[in-house]
Amino acid sequence: MPNKHAFEQTYQAFLTEFMQKETAYQEKITELQQAKNKLLAKFDFIQQYEPVVQELLLYYVGIHQDGEYGLRRRVDSGFRKTLEKKKIIHLNDEYIWEIHSLQDFAEQLAYRLKYGHAIQWDYEREMHRMRSNPIGASYVANEEDYKAIRNVTEETNQIEAQIKHLETELAALSGEKTQLQTELEANKRASILSFEEASIASDLMSERELLRHKEMQTLAMKWLYNQGFIVASEVVLPNKKRADVIGYNEGKTIIIEVKSSKEDYRQDHKWTEYLPYCDEFYFFLDFYAADQATIQAGYLQEQGRTLLITQQDTLSHECEQQDAIVWAIGRALSKKATFGWA
């Protein structure tokens, strides 16, 4: 029995550490993704241009510390003089080439591309200009004039690299968990004592996931309730499917499917059967799902004491049996009031 107790303590400690690391990684990934989207949102205007112009905009335009746009790389001095003359750019007191009109700057890039005029700064060409006409030569902007500009593309690349690194660590962590489970299964076949240990581990994991699932259900219910919805959990739908969390108001019905484990999420191939009974459908995950961008369902993520919509539901569906859903929710709430939750 002492061995059994020691095993239980060891495995309990492992699961606790695993969940803490997993949660920390997922929170950081979400934070980084939000930072990346915030950066890219500042360059949403480039979508109206041809791909080659978009690339040039991302290459030459940066974001200054006060949120303004500026040149982050040197352009051809003749091009720069044109931009200055048209009042599109200006060298401020911090020696930063501020861009006053991104629209005009993009149009000038497109124009020079069309007619084959120089855009990129070239050392030999600039030195030739200075040697040919030293008095009238234009000022050759120095690299120092661009260091105060935040490089949005490089920053975005750094964020993507951090996300990839965290996802790799998450995968390694899941690998450790899988390896431990494999070892437990091997021990289960090896001896009676190992069989007991494997059973303990399985029970502990199941209990932890169930508790976390319940916590997430409660959080989802509070989130809907605070938005003015009548809410219930574990509601049986007309097709006999059981909704983890469902709520309705005068305008719409929302179903939230709670997933506290990746395995449960991956094995759920019947979630589309919920769609005829709601106007919006969301997955509330306790982890980062790499495939969510390819699925048009909505996704929720825990943020503090509430939930954050990380992806809107863009699927085409609506609640086809509103009266039946309202009755089912009322029935579930009546059961709670009469018998309490089983």
Side-chain angles (χ1 to χ4, degrees):
M1 190 64 64
N3 290 337
K4 178 180 176 181
H5 181 66
F7 176 82
E8 183 175 350
Q9 286 186 323
T10 301
Y11 196 79
Q12 184 78 42
F14 169 81
L15 286 178
T16 300
E17 183 181 4
F18 174 86
M19 291 190 67
Q20 289 173 345
K21 284 184 178 180
E22 188 177 43
T23 300
Y25 289 159
Q26 289 162 356
E27 288 177 351
K28 186 61 177 177
I29 286 173
T30 300
E31 179 184 330
L32 289 170
Q33 287 176 322
Q34 291 171 351
K36 173 186 172 182
N37 292 337
K38 186 176 180 180
L39 280 172
L40 293 179
K42 295 178 182 294
F43 281 78
D44 186 58
F45 73 94
I46 72 173
Q47 301 301 322
Q48 61 186 297
Y49 300 104
E50 295 293 326
V52 64
V53 177
Q54 292 183 26
E55 291 180 11
L56 287 172
L57 287 168
L58 290 174
Y59 184 78
Y60 284 110
V61 178
I63 304 175
H64 186 233
Q65 292 177 351
D66 57 5
E68 299 295 327
Y69 295 98
L71 291 178
R72 68 182 181 88
R73 287 189 171 94
R74 288 184 287 184
V75 297
D76 176 81
S77 62
F79 183 26
R80 180 173 51 77
K81 284 184 67 176
T82 298
L83 293 172
E84 286 183 274
K85 185 177 180 179
K86 293 179 178 293
K87 301 187 185 302
I88 297 173
I89 65 171
H90 169 72
L91 187 65
N92 67 15
D93 294 337
E94 297 177 357
Y95 292 96
I96 295 170
W97 291 97
E98 294 180 341
I99 300 175
H100 298 304
S101 171
L102 289 169
Q103 179 76 22
D104 291 341
F105 180 67
E107 290 177 358
Q108 285 297 313
L109 286 173
Y111 176 84
R112 295 184 81 84
L113 276 174
K114 181 178 179 180
Y115 293 100
H117 299 323
I119 296 175
Q120 186 172 1
W121 189 90
D122 180 84
Y123 177 81
E124 293 297 335
R125 183 170 59 242
E126 301 296 344
M127 292 304 104
H128 176 73
R129 284 173 176 165
M130 294 185 71
R131 288 192 296 267
S132 300
N133 188 6
I135 297 177
S138 59
Y139 168 69
V140 179
N142 192 280
E143 289 277 9
E144 296 296 322
D145 296 345
Y146 301 87
K147 286 190 174 179
I149 291 289
R150 291 174 57 200
N151 182 339
V152 68
T153 51
E154 290 180 5
E155 184 169 354
T156 303
N157 292 339
Q158 291 172 1
I159 289 174
E160 289 178 339
Q162 292 178 58
I163 291 175
K164 187 175 181 179
H165 176 70
L166 286 172
E167 288 177 345
T168 300
E169 291 189 349
L170 264 176
L173 194 63
S174 296
E176 291 179 23
K177 184 178 179 181
T178 301
Q179 179 62 31
L180 181 58
Q181 290 173 324
T182 301
E183 292 175 2
L184 289 174
E185 286 300 318
N187 289 338
K188 179 178 178 180
R189 294 188 293 269
S191 67
I192 296 299
L193 178 60
S194 295
F195 176 81
E196 291 181 339
E197 292 175 347
S199 297
I200 294 168
S202 178
D203 290 343
L204 285 171
M205 186 175 295
S206 298
E207 180 181 357
R208 181 174 295 276
E209 289 179 352
L210 285 172
L211 287 173
R212 178 56 181 157
H213 189 276
K214 192 65 178 177
E215 290 175 357
M216 293 171 68
Q217 268 188 311
T218 301
L219 188 59
M221 291 176 69
K222 289 179 178 178
W223 180 69
L224 281 178
Y225 179 83
N226 289 335
Q227 296 182 72
F229 285 79
I230 295 174
V231 188
S233 64
E234 303 297 335
V235 175
V236 179
L237 303 175
N239 64 353
K240 306 305 178 184
K241 288 288 182 182
R242 188 182 298 271
D244 283 338
V245 175
I246 186 170
Y248 73 92
N249 60 17
E250 293 181 356
K252 60 186 173 183
T253 299
I254 292 179
I255 289 178
I256 300 175
E257 184 69 4
V258 176
K259 300 296 183 184
S260 60
S261 74
K262 285 187 176 180
E263 190 63 26
D264 185 21
Y265 173 70
R266 289 169 181 162
Q267 292 182 356
D268 187 352
H269 303 298
K270 298 182 179 180
W271 60 270
T272 53
E273 296 180 27
Y274 291 103
L275 300 182
Y277 306 102
C278 62
D279 302 295
E280 292 181 16
F281 176 86
Y282 293 94
F283 281 113
F284 175 24
L285 307 182
D286 199 26
F287 48 85
Y288 171 71
D291 68 341
Q292 75 177 61
T294 63
I295 298 177
Q296 293 179 292
Y299 282 83
L300 302 170
Q301 190 78 37
E302 185 173 355
Q303 186 177 64
R305 296 183 178 181
T306 185
L307 300 184
L308 174 71
I309 298 177
T310 57
Q311 180 172 299
Q312 291 286 351
D313 175 4
T314 58
L315 294 163
S316 178
H317 65 100
E318 62 181 0
C319 185
E320 300 172 356
Q321 301 183 39
Q322 183 69 25
D323 291 342
I325 295 302
V326 170
W327 185 89
I329 293 175
R331 181 73 174 169
L333 293 175
S334 296
K335 180 181 178 182
K336 177 184 177 182
T338 305
F339 300 105
W341 293 118

